[in-house]
Structure formats: C-alpha cells, structure tokens
Amino acid sequence: MNLLNWLSQHTLLPADHSALLLATVGAVCIGLSKSGLSGTATLNVVLMAKVFGAKASVGLVLPLLIAADFMGYLINRGAGSWKPVAAMAPPAIAGVIAGWWCLDMIDNATASVVIGWLIIGLLGFKLLLDWKQQELLALTEHHSFAWGMGLCAGVTTMLANAAGPVMTVYLLSRRLDKREHVGVFTRFFLFINLFKVPFSANLGIINARSLSTNLVLLPAVVLGIFIGWQILRRIPQKSFEWLLFALTLIAAAWLIRG
C-alpha cells in the first residue's frame, strides 16, 4: 500500500498528489498567518475548501488554527491583554451561534459558494479600509462598533474561519502599537476558536478522521510559522500581502465556480 492510499483510508486526504499539495500549502498558510503575514489566512480558507469541501474544511482547519494560536500566544504573551477581547466576546459568541445555525442549514455546494463570496467581500473590505482608513476609523468610537465587529467576526469565523480582516479593522480602531495589536489578535482567536469546538463537533465536521488529518498536516503549520518569521525579516510585508490578495481573489472565484 502506497502512502497516498494509506492517507485516503485513515484521513480525509484523497489519494491525489495535487490535493495533498494544496492541503499542505493551505496548512503552511495557517502558520504564515499566525507568524504575522495575515494575508495568507484567506488563501488557506479557499485551498482547504477546495480539497476537503467547504463545510468539512471548516471543522478540519479548526484544530490546526488552535494549535497555531497556542504557539502565537506563547510567543506574544508579554504583549497585549485580555481586556479588548472581553469587549468583543459577547457579540462574537452570538455570531458563532448564528454561523453554526446557518452552516447546519446549507449543503456543501451552497457553502462553497457562500464562502467564496464571503472571501471576495472581505477582500473588498480590505480595499475600502486601505482607501478610506481615516474616515472609517472616525466611525469606530461608538460603543456599537465593537458589538457589530464582534458579531461579524463570530459569524465569519464559524462559516469560514475567515474573521481575520474583521478583527484587524477592530484593532486598528483601538490604535494599538504593533506588538500589542498582535498580542490581542492572538488572544481573541485562541478564545473564539476554542469556543467553536463543540459547535463544529455537533455538526460532525470534527471527528476521528479529521483529527488524523490534522496530525498529518500539523508539521506544515509549524513550517509555515518558521517561514513566516524568515519572510518578515527579508521582504516588505505589504508586497507579499498584495501578491496573496491576487492569489486569494483567483482562488475564491475558483471556489465559486465549483
């Protein structure tokens, strides 16, 4: 029995070289995103959805994200605090519950289209933020902004593990320095991803085979964190993230087409 056949029998990975490559790249992207290259997060969502199916990928990726969140928290535990997380926690919890209900109601093909358009919407939101950052930040002083961002983050993270851009906007509004920004970002996703576990298990998208798949892909996540640190030291982050923006847009369109 060759390796691909063994993997297809014991994990969710299909006996296909290209699928294995895409899944590995997706896992590396998880590590890259947690090392500070946040633009890789949406590319990971699209790649994993293409390999495993839109709904299954949401549960499959979650333990990998949690493992990376723990690593990120240990690295950044001296920066940031839990106070900004507490402000977003109640609406984020409500958003997770709403997203869980929606995910249970739609089939895999519909979920693929929804996630594809959600990714494109978040990319558009990034462009708007880059263009009108000061004007948008002026709207963030109201208390309802934190609740709106929390709710949006909860829904998008449950539907597609794609709340990174939402959380970035919220943290920009807090005007935190870079280290504190990363520390709060890591704390929020460690909290919300752990909270999502029972909901994903209830939907059956975290199971024995998905966890076996996580064990296979975890080394690629660790590799991604290491590569991310090296990239940040050598090339401008902005140039790298614009390349990822283009790749993610193409991949999202690919996901919508099915």
Side-chain angles (χ1 to χ4, degrees):
M1 182 185 300
N2 63 38
L3 177 60
L4 284 178
N5 287 334
W6 185 91
L7 288 174
S8 68
Q9 291 184 20
H10 296 88
T11 72
L12 295 176
L13 287 160
D16 180 85
H17 286 94
S18 60
L20 179 59
L21 177 61
L22 288 178
T24 302
V25 172
V28 169
C29 285
I30 292 173
L32 289 172
S33 69
K34 299 301 181 179
S35 70
L37 298 170
S38 57
T40 58
T42 46
L43 183 56
N44 147 66
V45 173
V46 177
L47 291 175
M48 292 301 200
K50 199 66 183 176
V51 175
F52 300 104
K55 289 180 69 172
S57 69
V58 174
L60 173 82
V61 167
L62 184 55
L64 295 176
L65 291 171
I66 291 171
D69 287 330
F70 268 116
M71 295 178 213
Y73 174 70
L74 290 173
I75 293 167
N76 297 292
R77 64 186 181 277
S81 70
W82 288 99
K83 187 176 180 180
V85 176
M88 285 190 77
I93 288 170
V96 166
I97 294 170
W100 164 71
W101 182 81
C102 291
L103 199 60
D104 191 38
M105 298 290 289
I106 58 179
D107 59 29
N108 199 64
T110 304
S112 181
V113 174
V114 168
I115 290 172
W117 280 113
L118 177 60
I119 296 298
I120 289 175
L122 290 171
L123 291 175
F125 191 60
K126 178 193 182 304
L127 290 177
L128 180 62
L129 178 64
D130 290 344
W131 180 42
K132 295 286 188 180
Q133 181 170 328
Q134 292 305 315
E135 290 88 339
L136 286 173
L137 292 182
L139 301 174
T140 64
E141 303 297 334
H142 199 276
H143 177 71
S144 61
F145 177 77
W147 277 78
M149 288 291 99
L151 183 65
C152 187
V155 171
T156 53
T157 194
M158 190 66 221
L159 284 178
N161 293 313
V166 180
M167 191 60 183
T168 296
V169 173
Y170 172 69
L171 292 179
L172 283 172
S173 75
R174 304 280 300 184
R175 295 172 175 83
L176 306 176
D177 66 49
K178 186 176 181 180
R179 286 193 70 246
E180 192 174 0
H181 179 115
V182 174
V184 175
F185 190 92
T186 301
R187 283 170 168 80
F188 175 79
F189 282 105
L190 177 58
F191 161 73
I192 204 66
N193 284 332
L194 285 170
F195 180 77
K196 285 158 52 181
V197 170
F199 295 92
S200 294
N202 174 265
L203 292 172
I205 53 179
I206 292 181
N207 49 58
R209 285 173 68 89
S210 74
L211 291 173
S212 297
T213 312
N214 293 152
L215 290 176
V216 173
L217 295 176
L218 184 58
V221 175
V222 177
L223 177 63
I225 291 175
F226 176 77
I227 292 173
W229 289 336
Q230 301 305 311
I231 289 174
L232 284 175
R233 291 169 56 189
R234 288 171 170 79
I235 68 170
Q237 180 170 341
K238 207 68 176 177
S239 300
F240 183 76
E241 292 202 355
W242 274 114
L243 172 62
L244 286 168
F245 182 96
L247 292 174
T248 303
L249 182 60
I250 294 168
W254 179 34
L255 192 63
I256 291 168
R257 289 184 61 187

